[in-house]
Amino acid sequence: MNRVLLPEGWPRPKGYSNGVEATGRMVFVAGQIGWRPEGEFFETDFAGQFRQTIENTLAVLAEAGAGPEHIVRMTWYVVEKQEYLAALREIGSIWRDLIGPHYPAMAVVEVKGLIEDAARIEIETTAVVS
């Protein structure tokens, strides 16, 4: 059972939760990037790589019997803040398509680079299955 934490008087954040309380079996997903399982990038734009990154994350979660509703925390690493901000509308649409109305605790961090030079985003995920 997961419970979104929203302190009294705080405004509801858009697109994430300030905190999540969870009880159950924990599933940790390593940083996923926007390449296909065979290690090839078919998308070069941020939104396309974001979609593939989320699809990869959901595939790993499925191996543990988990789905989007079990995600309690994500850390996103982006190589360019402005590229991320410019893609927010597309990110929201992709999120609704793949994750739905579920918003875990999240952080987005701009980094100098990722190990795979072609990667625009990497996401680490923690899920808790009741």
Side-chain angles (χ1 to χ4, degrees), residues 2-5 13-21 54 57 61 67-76 95 99-107 123-128:
N2 299 338
R3 181 174 70 98
V4 172
L5 304 175
K14 294 180 181 178
Y16 69 95
S17 295
N18 288 308
V20 177
E21 177 184 51
I54 295 298
T57 298
L61 287 172
E69 69 278 12
H70 298 109
I71 299 171
V72 296
R73 184 200 63 79
M74 295 178 119
T75 303
W76 301 16
W95 185 273
I99 304 291
H102 179 70
Y103 299 100
M106 285 193 260
I123 300 177
E124 291 180 313
T125 301
T126 303
V128 178

PDB file of all heavy atoms in Angstrom, residues 2-5 13-21 54 57 61 67-76 95 99-107 123-128:
ATOM      1  N   ASN A   2       0.681   2.105  -0.970  1.00  0.00           N
ATOM      2  CA  ASN A   2       1.435   3.340  -1.061  1.00  0.00           C
ATOM      3  C   ASN A   2       0.532   4.518  -0.723  1.00  0.00           C
ATOM      4  O   ASN A   2      -0.646   4.530  -1.067  1.00  0.00           O
ATOM      5  CB  ASN A   2       1.998   3.531  -2.478  1.00  0.00           C
ATOM      6  CG  ASN A   2       2.939   2.408  -2.861  1.00  0.00           C
ATOM      7  OD1 ASN A   2       3.485   1.727  -2.016  1.00  0.00           O
ATOM      8  ND2 ASN A   2       3.135   2.224  -4.147  1.00  0.00           N
ATOM      9  N   ARG A   3       1.112   5.512  -0.044  1.00  0.00           N
ATOM     10  CA  ARG A   3       0.343   6.704   0.332  1.00  0.00           C
ATOM     11  C   ARG A   3       1.170   7.929  -0.022  1.00  0.00           C
ATOM     12  O   ARG A   3       2.327   8.047   0.388  1.00  0.00           O
ATOM     13  CB  ARG A   3       0.050   6.686   1.828  1.00  0.00           C
ATOM     14  CG  ARG A   3      -0.770   7.864   2.318  1.00  0.00           C
ATOM     15  CD  ARG A   3      -1.149   7.718   3.786  1.00  0.00           C
ATOM     16  NE  ARG A   3      -0.028   7.865   4.677  1.00  0.00           N
ATOM     17  CZ  ARG A   3       0.285   9.005   5.320  1.00  0.00           C
ATOM     18  NH1 ARG A   3      -0.443  10.077   5.152  1.00  0.00           N
ATOM     19  NH2 ARG A   3       1.322   9.039   6.136  1.00  0.00           N
ATOM     20  N   VAL A   4       0.576   8.825  -0.792  1.00  0.00           N
ATOM     21  CA  VAL A   4       1.233  10.078  -1.153  1.00  0.00           C
ATOM     22  C   VAL A   4       1.268  10.970   0.079  1.00  0.00           C
ATOM     23  O   VAL A   4       0.280  11.089   0.801  1.00  0.00           O
ATOM     24  CB  VAL A   4       0.484  10.771  -2.319  1.00  0.00           C
ATOM     25  CG1 VAL A   4       1.030  12.157  -2.566  1.00  0.00           C
ATOM     26  CG2 VAL A   4       0.581   9.911  -3.573  1.00  0.00           C
ATOM     27  N   LEU A   5       2.421  11.599   0.306  1.00  0.00           N
ATOM     28  CA  LEU A   5       2.600  12.478   1.465  1.00  0.00           C
ATOM     29  C   LEU A   5       2.521  13.941   1.011  1.00  0.00           C
ATOM     30  O   LEU A   5       3.313  14.378   0.172  1.00  0.00           O
ATOM     31  CB  LEU A   5       3.950  12.212   2.121  1.00  0.00           C
ATOM     32  CG  LEU A   5       4.193  10.753   2.539  1.00  0.00           C
ATOM     33  CD1 LEU A   5       5.604  10.577   3.068  1.00  0.00           C
ATOM     34  CD2 LEU A   5       3.167  10.305   3.554  1.00  0.00           C
ATOM     35  N   PRO A  13       2.004  19.384  -5.812  1.00  0.00           N
ATOM     36  CA  PRO A  13       2.958  19.590  -6.902  1.00  0.00           C
ATOM     37  C   PRO A  13       2.423  19.047  -8.221  1.00  0.00           C
ATOM     38  O   PRO A  13       1.565  18.159  -8.231  1.00  0.00           O
ATOM     39  CB  PRO A  13       4.201  18.808  -6.445  1.00  0.00           C
ATOM     40  CG  PRO A  13       3.708  17.828  -5.445  1.00  0.00           C
ATOM     41  CD  PRO A  13       2.462  18.398  -4.843  1.00  0.00           C
ATOM     42  N   LYS A  14       2.913  19.582  -9.320  1.00  0.00           N
ATOM     43  CA  LYS A  14       2.481  19.147 -10.647  1.00  0.00           C
ATOM     44  C   LYS A  14       3.480  18.139 -11.197  1.00  0.00           C
ATOM     45  O   LYS A  14       4.662  18.439 -11.333  1.00  0.00           O
ATOM     46  CB  LYS A  14       2.399  20.337 -11.599  1.00  0.00           C
ATOM     47  CG  LYS A  14       1.320  21.314 -11.213  1.00  0.00           C
ATOM     48  CD  LYS A  14       1.268  22.474 -12.174  1.00  0.00           C
ATOM     49  CE  LYS A  14       0.189  23.451 -11.722  1.00  0.00           C
ATOM     50  NZ  LYS A  14       0.122  24.610 -12.593  1.00  0.00           N
ATOM     51  N   GLY A  15       3.013  16.919 -11.473  1.00  0.00           N
ATOM     52  CA  GLY A  15       3.845  15.926 -12.125  1.00  0.00           C
ATOM     53  C   GLY A  15       4.709  15.081 -11.217  1.00  0.00           C
ATOM     54  O   GLY A  15       5.502  14.274 -11.703  1.00  0.00           O
ATOM     55  N   TYR A  16       4.597  15.239  -9.921  1.00  0.00           N
ATOM     56  CA  TYR A  16       5.355  14.425  -8.974  1.00  0.00           C
ATOM     57  C   TYR A  16       4.711  14.535  -7.599  1.00  0.00           C
ATOM     58  O   TYR A  16       3.792  15.326  -7.400  1.00  0.00           O
ATOM     59  CB  TYR A  16       6.832  14.866  -8.911  1.00  0.00           C
ATOM     60  CG  TYR A  16       7.036  16.228  -8.285  1.00  0.00           C
ATOM     61  CD1 TYR A  16       7.337  16.362  -6.935  1.00  0.00           C
ATOM     62  CD2 TYR A  16       6.902  17.386  -9.035  1.00  0.00           C
ATOM     63  CE1 TYR A  16       7.514  17.606  -6.353  1.00  0.00           C
ATOM     64  CE2 TYR A  16       7.072  18.632  -8.475  1.00  0.00           C
ATOM     65  CZ  TYR A  16       7.384  18.742  -7.131  1.00  0.00           C
ATOM     66  OH  TYR A  16       7.550  19.969  -6.557  1.00  0.00           O
ATOM     67  N   SER A  17       5.191  13.727  -6.650  1.00  0.00           N
ATOM     68  CA  SER A  17       4.747  13.822  -5.263  1.00  0.00           C
ATOM     69  C   SER A  17       5.937  14.230  -4.400  1.00  0.00           C
ATOM     70  O   SER A  17       7.079  13.870  -4.693  1.00  0.00           O
ATOM     71  CB  SER A  17       4.226  12.468  -4.773  1.00  0.00           C
ATOM     72  OG  SER A  17       3.058  12.101  -5.480  1.00  0.00           O
ATOM     73  N   ASN A  18       5.678  14.965  -3.329  1.00  0.00           N
ATOM     74  CA  ASN A  18       6.753  15.342  -2.407  1.00  0.00           C
ATOM     75  C   ASN A  18       7.320  14.129  -1.689  1.00  0.00           C
ATOM     76  O   ASN A  18       8.503  14.082  -1.368  1.00  0.00           O
ATOM     77  CB  ASN A  18       6.259  16.354  -1.380  1.00  0.00           C
ATOM     78  CG  ASN A  18       6.036  17.707  -1.992  1.00  0.00           C
ATOM     79  OD1 ASN A  18       6.916  18.250  -2.642  1.00  0.00           O
ATOM     80  ND2 ASN A  18       4.849  18.258  -1.801  1.00  0.00           N
ATOM     81  N   GLY A  19       6.485  13.162  -1.433  1.00  0.00           N
ATOM     82  CA  GLY A  19       6.915  11.951  -0.758  1.00  0.00           C
ATOM     83  C   GLY A  19       5.882  10.859  -0.909  1.00  0.00           C
ATOM     84  O   GLY A  19       4.721  11.123  -1.216  1.00  0.00           O
ATOM     85  N   VAL A  20       6.333   9.618  -0.713  1.00  0.00           N
ATOM     86  CA  VAL A  20       5.450   8.459  -0.799  1.00  0.00           C
ATOM     87  C   VAL A  20       5.803   7.520   0.346  1.00  0.00           C
ATOM     88  O   VAL A  20       6.977   7.202   0.560  1.00  0.00           O
ATOM     89  CB  VAL A  20       5.613   7.714  -2.144  1.00  0.00           C
ATOM     90  CG1 VAL A  20       4.734   6.472  -2.180  1.00  0.00           C
ATOM     91  CG2 VAL A  20       5.291   8.626  -3.319  1.00  0.00           C
ATOM     92  N   GLU A  21       4.798   7.088   1.094  1.00  0.00           N
ATOM     93  CA  GLU A  21       4.972   6.076   2.126  1.00  0.00           C
ATOM     94  C   GLU A  21       4.560   4.737   1.518  1.00  0.00           C
ATOM     95  O   GLU A  21       3.516   4.651   0.874  1.00  0.00           O
ATOM     96  CB  GLU A  21       4.085   6.398   3.326  1.00  0.00           C
ATOM     97  CG  GLU A  21       4.141   5.359   4.411  1.00  0.00           C
ATOM     98  CD  GLU A  21       3.167   5.667   5.532  1.00  0.00           C
ATOM     99  OE1 GLU A  21       1.967   5.917   5.226  1.00  0.00           O
ATOM    100  OE2 GLU A  21       3.601   5.670   6.681  1.00  0.00           O
ATOM    101  N   ILE A  54      11.112   5.071 -20.385  1.00  0.00           N
ATOM    102  CA  ILE A  54       9.983   4.613 -19.565  1.00  0.00           C
ATOM    103  C   ILE A  54       9.573   3.200 -19.977  1.00  0.00           C
ATOM    104  O   ILE A  54       9.303   2.344 -19.112  1.00  0.00           O
ATOM    105  CB  ILE A  54       8.797   5.598 -19.654  1.00  0.00           C
ATOM    106  CG1 ILE A  54       9.172   6.953 -19.055  1.00  0.00           C
ATOM    107  CG2 ILE A  54       7.559   5.018 -18.967  1.00  0.00           C
ATOM    108  CD1 ILE A  54       9.538   6.918 -17.571  1.00  0.00           C
ATOM    109  N   THR A  57      12.026   0.883 -18.404  1.00  0.00           N
ATOM    110  CA  THR A  57      11.781   0.807 -16.960  1.00  0.00           C
ATOM    111  C   THR A  57      10.593  -0.108 -16.664  1.00  0.00           C
ATOM    112  O   THR A  57      10.668  -0.970 -15.779  1.00  0.00           O
ATOM    113  CB  THR A  57      11.523   2.220 -16.398  1.00  0.00           C
ATOM    114  OG1 THR A  57      12.693   3.017 -16.608  1.00  0.00           O
ATOM    115  CG2 THR A  57      11.174   2.182 -14.920  1.00  0.00           C
ATOM    116  N   LEU A  61      10.419  -3.591 -14.457  1.00  0.00           N
ATOM    117  CA  LEU A  61       9.459  -3.728 -13.359  1.00  0.00           C
ATOM    118  C   LEU A  61       8.553  -4.941 -13.557  1.00  0.00           C
ATOM    119  O   LEU A  61       8.260  -5.669 -12.599  1.00  0.00           O
ATOM    120  CB  LEU A  61       8.606  -2.463 -13.231  1.00  0.00           C
ATOM    121  CG  LEU A  61       9.292  -1.238 -12.651  1.00  0.00           C
ATOM    122  CD1 LEU A  61       8.380  -0.022 -12.760  1.00  0.00           C
ATOM    123  CD2 LEU A  61       9.714  -1.478 -11.217  1.00  0.00           C
ATOM    124  N   GLY A  67       4.167  -2.869 -11.683  1.00  0.00           N
ATOM    125  CA  GLY A  67       3.708  -1.990 -12.749  1.00  0.00           C
ATOM    126  C   GLY A  67       3.914  -0.545 -12.356  1.00  0.00           C
ATOM    127  O   GLY A  67       4.478  -0.252 -11.294  1.00  0.00           O
ATOM    128  N   PRO A  68       3.437   0.368 -13.173  1.00  0.00           N
ATOM    129  CA  PRO A  68       3.622   1.794 -12.894  1.00  0.00           C
ATOM    130  C   PRO A  68       3.068   2.226 -11.535  1.00  0.00           C
ATOM    131  O   PRO A  68       3.627   3.102 -10.888  1.00  0.00           O
ATOM    132  CB  PRO A  68       2.852   2.493 -14.019  1.00  0.00           C
ATOM    133  CG  PRO A  68       2.561   1.477 -15.035  1.00  0.00           C
ATOM    134  CD  PRO A  68       2.694   0.132 -14.399  1.00  0.00           C
ATOM    135  N   GLU A  69       1.995   1.595 -11.120  1.00  0.00           N
ATOM    136  CA  GLU A  69       1.365   1.961  -9.845  1.00  0.00           C
ATOM    137  C   GLU A  69       2.237   1.641  -8.636  1.00  0.00           C
ATOM    138  O   GLU A  69       1.983   2.118  -7.532  1.00  0.00           O
ATOM    139  CB  GLU A  69       0.002   1.272  -9.700  1.00  0.00           C
ATOM    140  CG  GLU A  69       0.069  -0.231  -9.513  1.00  0.00           C
ATOM    141  CD  GLU A  69       0.232  -1.050 -10.797  1.00  0.00           C
ATOM    142  OE1 GLU A  69       0.521  -0.492 -11.864  1.00  0.00           O
ATOM    143  OE2 GLU A  69       0.065  -2.278 -10.702  1.00  0.00           O
ATOM    144  N   HIS A  70       3.279   0.841  -8.824  1.00  0.00           N
ATOM    145  CA  HIS A  70       4.178   0.474  -7.731  1.00  0.00           C
ATOM    146  C   HIS A  70       5.379   1.398  -7.605  1.00  0.00           C
ATOM    147  O   HIS A  70       6.140   1.295  -6.648  1.00  0.00           O
ATOM    148  CB  HIS A  70       4.661  -0.973  -7.913  1.00  0.00           C
ATOM    149  CG  HIS A  70       3.538  -1.954  -7.876  1.00  0.00           C
ATOM    150  ND1 HIS A  70       3.110  -2.637  -8.999  1.00  0.00           N
ATOM    151  CD2 HIS A  70       2.731  -2.340  -6.860  1.00  0.00           C
ATOM    152  CE1 HIS A  70       2.095  -3.414  -8.663  1.00  0.00           C
ATOM    153  NE2 HIS A  70       1.846  -3.251  -7.376  1.00  0.00           N
ATOM    154  N   ILE A  71       5.568   2.290  -8.569  1.00  0.00           N
ATOM    155  CA  ILE A  71       6.721   3.197  -8.530  1.00  0.00           C
ATOM    156  C   ILE A  71       6.548   4.195  -7.398  1.00  0.00           C
ATOM    157  O   ILE A  71       5.516   4.866  -7.297  1.00  0.00           O
ATOM    158  CB  ILE A  71       6.885   3.940  -9.874  1.00  0.00           C
ATOM    159  CG1 ILE A  71       7.132   2.951 -11.010  1.00  0.00           C
ATOM    160  CG2 ILE A  71       8.026   4.958  -9.787  1.00  0.00           C
ATOM    161  CD1 ILE A  71       7.085   3.571 -12.397  1.00  0.00           C
ATOM    162  N   VAL A  72       7.556   4.293  -6.531  1.00  0.00           N
ATOM    163  CA  VAL A  72       7.493   5.240  -5.415  1.00  0.00           C
ATOM    164  C   VAL A  72       8.533   6.348  -5.527  1.00  0.00           C
ATOM    165  O   VAL A  72       8.403   7.386  -4.885  1.00  0.00           O
ATOM    166  CB  VAL A  72       7.639   4.531  -4.047  1.00  0.00           C
ATOM    167  CG1 VAL A  72       6.475   3.587  -3.802  1.00  0.00           C
ATOM    168  CG2 VAL A  72       8.961   3.806  -3.915  1.00  0.00           C
ATOM    169  N   ARG A  73       9.587   6.128  -6.333  1.00  0.00           N
ATOM    170  CA  ARG A  73      10.645   7.134  -6.441  1.00  0.00           C
ATOM    171  C   ARG A  73      11.337   7.023  -7.784  1.00  0.00           C
ATOM    172  O   ARG A  73      11.547   5.919  -8.287  1.00  0.00           O
ATOM    173  CB  ARG A  73      11.686   6.920  -5.345  1.00  0.00           C
ATOM    174  CG  ARG A  73      12.772   7.976  -5.309  1.00  0.00           C
ATOM    175  CD  ARG A  73      14.023   7.523  -4.578  1.00  0.00           C
ATOM    176  NE  ARG A  73      14.685   6.395  -5.203  1.00  0.00           N
ATOM    177  CZ  ARG A  73      15.490   6.462  -6.276  1.00  0.00           C
ATOM    178  NH1 ARG A  73      15.718   7.600  -6.865  1.00  0.00           N
ATOM    179  NH2 ARG A  73      16.048   5.385  -6.764  1.00  0.00           N
ATOM    180  N   MET A  74      11.662   8.173  -8.365  1.00  0.00           N
ATOM    181  CA  MET A  74      12.456   8.216  -9.598  1.00  0.00           C
ATOM    182  C   MET A  74      13.458   9.363  -9.495  1.00  0.00           C
ATOM    183  O   MET A  74      13.129  10.419  -8.959  1.00  0.00           O
ATOM    184  CB  MET A  74      11.592   8.462 -10.828  1.00  0.00           C
ATOM    185  CG  MET A  74      10.609   7.360 -11.160  1.00  0.00           C
ATOM    186  SD  MET A  74       9.610   7.813 -12.598  1.00  0.00           S
ATOM    187  CE  MET A  74      10.075   6.511 -13.710  1.00  0.00           C
ATOM    188  N   THR A  75      14.645   9.114 -10.023  1.00  0.00           N
ATOM    189  CA  THR A  75      15.620  10.188 -10.196  1.00  0.00           C
ATOM    190  C   THR A  75      15.954  10.246 -11.678  1.00  0.00           C
ATOM    191  O   THR A  75      16.374   9.240 -12.255  1.00  0.00           O
ATOM    192  CB  THR A  75      16.891   9.948  -9.364  1.00  0.00           C
ATOM    193  OG1 THR A  75      16.533   9.810  -7.984  1.00  0.00           O
ATOM    194  CG2 THR A  75      17.866  11.112  -9.515  1.00  0.00           C
ATOM    195  N   TRP A  76      15.725  11.398 -12.272  1.00  0.00           N
ATOM    196  CA  TRP A  76      15.986  11.615 -13.688  1.00  0.00           C
ATOM    197  C   TRP A  76      17.282  12.399 -13.819  1.00  0.00           C
ATOM    198  O   TRP A  76      17.465  13.421 -13.153  1.00  0.00           O
ATOM    199  CB  TRP A  76      14.894  12.442 -14.334  1.00  0.00           C
ATOM    200  CG  TRP A  76      13.499  11.898 -14.284  1.00  0.00           C
ATOM    201  CD1 TRP A  76      13.010  10.905 -13.481  1.00  0.00           C
ATOM    202  CD2 TRP A  76      12.392  12.360 -15.063  1.00  0.00           C
ATOM    203  NE1 TRP A  76      11.676  10.720 -13.729  1.00  0.00           N
ATOM    204  CE2 TRP A  76      11.280  11.597 -14.690  1.00  0.00           C
ATOM    205  CE3 TRP A  76      12.265  13.339 -16.028  1.00  0.00           C
ATOM    206  CZ2 TRP A  76      10.029  11.794 -15.268  1.00  0.00           C
ATOM    207  CZ3 TRP A  76      11.019  13.534 -16.599  1.00  0.00           C
ATOM    208  CH2 TRP A  76       9.910  12.757 -16.224  1.00  0.00           C
ATOM    209  N   TRP A  95       3.893  10.351 -20.372  1.00  0.00           N
ATOM    210  CA  TRP A  95       3.669   9.887 -18.994  1.00  0.00           C
ATOM    211  C   TRP A  95       2.238   9.367 -18.849  1.00  0.00           C
ATOM    212  O   TRP A  95       2.014   8.277 -18.321  1.00  0.00           O
ATOM    213  CB  TRP A  95       3.929  11.022 -18.004  1.00  0.00           C
ATOM    214  CG  TRP A  95       3.824  10.581 -16.581  1.00  0.00           C
ATOM    215  CD1 TRP A  95       2.690  10.524 -15.817  1.00  0.00           C
ATOM    216  CD2 TRP A  95       4.878  10.088 -15.769  1.00  0.00           C
ATOM    217  NE1 TRP A  95       2.968  10.036 -14.562  1.00  0.00           N
ATOM    218  CE2 TRP A  95       4.324   9.766 -14.514  1.00  0.00           C
ATOM    219  CE3 TRP A  95       6.237   9.894 -15.968  1.00  0.00           C
ATOM    220  CZ2 TRP A  95       5.074   9.258 -13.464  1.00  0.00           C
ATOM    221  CZ3 TRP A  95       6.989   9.399 -14.920  1.00  0.00           C
ATOM    222  CH2 TRP A  95       6.419   9.082 -13.683  1.00  0.00           C
ATOM    223  N   ILE A  99       2.329   5.670 -17.863  1.00  0.00           N
ATOM    224  CA  ILE A  99       2.277   5.571 -16.399  1.00  0.00           C
ATOM    225  C   ILE A  99       0.871   5.834 -15.876  1.00  0.00           C
ATOM    226  O   ILE A  99       0.444   5.256 -14.895  1.00  0.00           O
ATOM    227  CB  ILE A  99       3.272   6.565 -15.738  1.00  0.00           C
ATOM    228  CG1 ILE A  99       4.697   6.354 -16.247  1.00  0.00           C
ATOM    229  CG2 ILE A  99       3.201   6.462 -14.218  1.00  0.00           C
ATOM    230  CD1 ILE A  99       5.370   5.076 -15.824  1.00  0.00           C
ATOM    231  N   GLY A 100       0.164   6.734 -16.512  1.00  0.00           N
ATOM    232  CA  GLY A 100      -1.183   7.068 -16.056  1.00  0.00           C
ATOM    233  C   GLY A 100      -1.171   8.175 -15.019  1.00  0.00           C
ATOM    234  O   GLY A 100      -0.269   9.006 -15.005  1.00  0.00           O
ATOM    235  N   PRO A 101      -2.159   8.170 -14.112  1.00  0.00           N
ATOM    236  CA  PRO A 101      -2.301   9.257 -13.139  1.00  0.00           C
ATOM    237  C   PRO A 101      -1.473   9.049 -11.869  1.00  0.00           C
ATOM    238  O   PRO A 101      -1.792   9.589 -10.825  1.00  0.00           O
ATOM    239  CB  PRO A 101      -3.802   9.233 -12.828  1.00  0.00           C
ATOM    240  CG  PRO A 101      -4.141   7.776 -12.930  1.00  0.00           C
ATOM    241  CD  PRO A 101      -3.291   7.254 -14.082  1.00  0.00           C
ATOM    242  N   HIS A 102      -0.424   8.279 -11.959  1.00  0.00           N
ATOM    243  CA  HIS A 102       0.412   7.956 -10.799  1.00  0.00           C
ATOM    244  C   HIS A 102       1.653   8.850 -10.795  1.00  0.00           C
ATOM    245  O   HIS A 102       2.369   8.910 -11.798  1.00  0.00           O
ATOM    246  CB  HIS A 102       0.810   6.474 -10.879  1.00  0.00           C
ATOM    247  CG  HIS A 102       1.667   6.038  -9.762  1.00  0.00           C
ATOM    248  ND1 HIS A 102       1.216   5.919  -8.479  1.00  0.00           N
ATOM    249  CD2 HIS A 102       2.975   5.712  -9.733  1.00  0.00           C
ATOM    250  CE1 HIS A 102       2.211   5.528  -7.710  1.00  0.00           C
ATOM    251  NE2 HIS A 102       3.285   5.399  -8.443  1.00  0.00           N
ATOM    252  N   TYR A 103       1.917   9.533  -9.671  1.00  0.00           N
ATOM    253  CA  TYR A 103       3.046  10.465  -9.596  1.00  0.00           C
ATOM    254  C   TYR A 103       3.895  10.163  -8.364  1.00  0.00           C
ATOM    255  O   TYR A 103       3.554  10.545  -7.250  1.00  0.00           O
ATOM    256  CB  TYR A 103       2.558  11.910  -9.570  1.00  0.00           C
ATOM    257  CG  TYR A 103       1.790  12.246 -10.826  1.00  0.00           C
ATOM    258  CD1 TYR A 103       0.398  12.253 -10.829  1.00  0.00           C
ATOM    259  CD2 TYR A 103       2.466  12.506 -12.007  1.00  0.00           C
ATOM    260  CE1 TYR A 103      -0.300  12.528 -11.991  1.00  0.00           C
ATOM    261  CE2 TYR A 103       1.765  12.785 -13.177  1.00  0.00           C
ATOM    262  CZ  TYR A 103       0.396  12.794 -13.157  1.00  0.00           C
ATOM    263  OH  TYR A 103      -0.288  13.060 -14.305  1.00  0.00           O
ATOM    264  N   PRO A 104       5.034   9.478  -8.554  1.00  0.00           N
ATOM    265  CA  PRO A 104       5.918   9.154  -7.433  1.00  0.00           C
ATOM    266  C   PRO A 104       6.741  10.371  -6.998  1.00  0.00           C
ATOM    267  O   PRO A 104       6.703  11.423  -7.645  1.00  0.00           O
ATOM    268  CB  PRO A 104       6.828   8.078  -8.027  1.00  0.00           C
ATOM    269  CG  PRO A 104       6.877   8.389  -9.482  1.00  0.00           C
ATOM    270  CD  PRO A 104       5.517   8.935  -9.815  1.00  0.00           C
ATOM    271  N   ALA A 105       7.487  10.192  -5.919  1.00  0.00           N
ATOM    272  CA  ALA A 105       8.465  11.205  -5.520  1.00  0.00           C
ATOM    273  C   ALA A 105       9.547  11.232  -6.599  1.00  0.00           C
ATOM    274  O   ALA A 105       9.998  10.176  -7.052  1.00  0.00           O
ATOM    275  CB  ALA A 105       9.065  10.856  -4.161  1.00  0.00           C
ATOM    276  N   MET A 106       9.940  12.427  -7.037  1.00  0.00           N
ATOM    277  CA  MET A 106      10.901  12.523  -8.148  1.00  0.00           C
ATOM    278  C   MET A 106      11.869  13.670  -7.940  1.00  0.00           C
ATOM    279  O   MET A 106      11.556  14.652  -7.275  1.00  0.00           O
ATOM    280  CB  MET A 106      10.175  12.755  -9.468  1.00  0.00           C
ATOM    281  CG  MET A 106       9.483  11.561 -10.020  1.00  0.00           C
ATOM    282  SD  MET A 106       8.992  11.824 -11.724  1.00  0.00           S
ATOM    283  CE  MET A 106       7.277  12.224 -11.520  1.00  0.00           C
ATOM    284  N   ALA A 107      13.026  13.505  -8.572  1.00  0.00           N
ATOM    285  CA  ALA A 107      14.004  14.588  -8.693  1.00  0.00           C
ATOM    286  C   ALA A 107      14.527  14.553 -10.120  1.00  0.00           C
ATOM    287  O   ALA A 107      14.663  13.486 -10.719  1.00  0.00           O
ATOM    288  CB  ALA A 107      15.146  14.390  -7.706  1.00  0.00           C
ATOM    289  N   ILE A 123      17.067   7.354 -16.135  1.00  0.00           N
ATOM    290  CA  ILE A 123      16.144   7.361 -14.991  1.00  0.00           C
ATOM    291  C   ILE A 123      16.380   6.131 -14.123  1.00  0.00           C
ATOM    292  O   ILE A 123      16.351   4.999 -14.613  1.00  0.00           O
ATOM    293  CB  ILE A 123      14.665   7.398 -15.446  1.00  0.00           C
ATOM    294  CG1 ILE A 123      14.390   8.650 -16.271  1.00  0.00           C
ATOM    295  CG2 ILE A 123      13.730   7.319 -14.232  1.00  0.00           C
ATOM    296  CD1 ILE A 123      12.965   8.735 -16.822  1.00  0.00           C
ATOM    297  N   GLU A 124      16.592   6.380 -12.815  1.00  0.00           N
ATOM    298  CA  GLU A 124      16.629   5.308 -11.807  1.00  0.00           C
ATOM    299  C   GLU A 124      15.259   5.252 -11.143  1.00  0.00           C
ATOM    300  O   GLU A 124      14.651   6.302 -10.908  1.00  0.00           O
ATOM    301  CB  GLU A 124      17.650   5.619 -10.722  1.00  0.00           C
ATOM    302  CG  GLU A 124      19.074   5.581 -11.128  1.00  0.00           C
ATOM    303  CD  GLU A 124      19.976   5.907  -9.950  1.00  0.00           C
ATOM    304  OE1 GLU A 124      19.702   6.896  -9.239  1.00  0.00           O
ATOM    305  OE2 GLU A 124      20.947   5.187  -9.764  1.00  0.00           O
ATOM    306  N   THR A 125      14.813   4.038 -10.825  1.00  0.00           N
ATOM    307  CA  THR A 125      13.457   3.883 -10.284  1.00  0.00           C
ATOM    308  C   THR A 125      13.455   2.927  -9.097  1.00  0.00           C
ATOM    309  O   THR A 125      14.150   1.924  -9.109  1.00  0.00           O
ATOM    310  CB  THR A 125      12.519   3.328 -11.381  1.00  0.00           C
ATOM    311  OG1 THR A 125      12.529   4.233 -12.485  1.00  0.00           O
ATOM    312  CG2 THR A 125      11.106   3.161 -10.880  1.00  0.00           C
ATOM    313  N   THR A 126      12.643   3.247  -8.106  1.00  0.00           N
ATOM    314  CA  THR A 126      12.375   2.349  -6.995  1.00  0.00           C
ATOM    315  C   THR A 126      10.872   2.104  -6.964  1.00  0.00           C
ATOM    316  O   THR A 126      10.084   3.043  -7.066  1.00  0.00           O
ATOM    317  CB  THR A 126      12.822   2.945  -5.649  1.00  0.00           C
ATOM    318  OG1 THR A 126      14.206   3.261  -5.719  1.00  0.00           O
ATOM    319  CG2 THR A 126      12.583   1.972  -4.500  1.00  0.00           C
ATOM    320  N   ALA A 127      10.499   0.849  -6.826  1.00  0.00           N
ATOM    321  CA  ALA A 127       9.094   0.476  -6.729  1.00  0.00           C
ATOM    322  C   ALA A 127       8.898  -0.359  -5.458  1.00  0.00           C
ATOM    323  O   ALA A 127       9.838  -0.996  -4.989  1.00  0.00           O
ATOM    324  CB  ALA A 127       8.659  -0.328  -7.946  1.00  0.00           C
ATOM    325  N   VAL A 128       7.692  -0.352  -4.943  1.00  0.00           N
ATOM    326  CA  VAL A 128       7.335  -1.185  -3.795  1.00  0.00           C
ATOM    327  C   VAL A 128       6.040  -1.913  -4.145  1.00  0.00           C
ATOM    328  O   VAL A 128       5.035  -1.287  -4.464  1.00  0.00           O
ATOM    329  CB  VAL A 128       7.167  -0.354  -2.516  1.00  0.00           C
ATOM    330  CG1 VAL A 128       6.736  -1.244  -1.351  1.00  0.00           C
ATOM    331  CG2 VAL A 128       8.452   0.380  -2.167  1.00  0.00           C
TER     332      VAL A 128
END
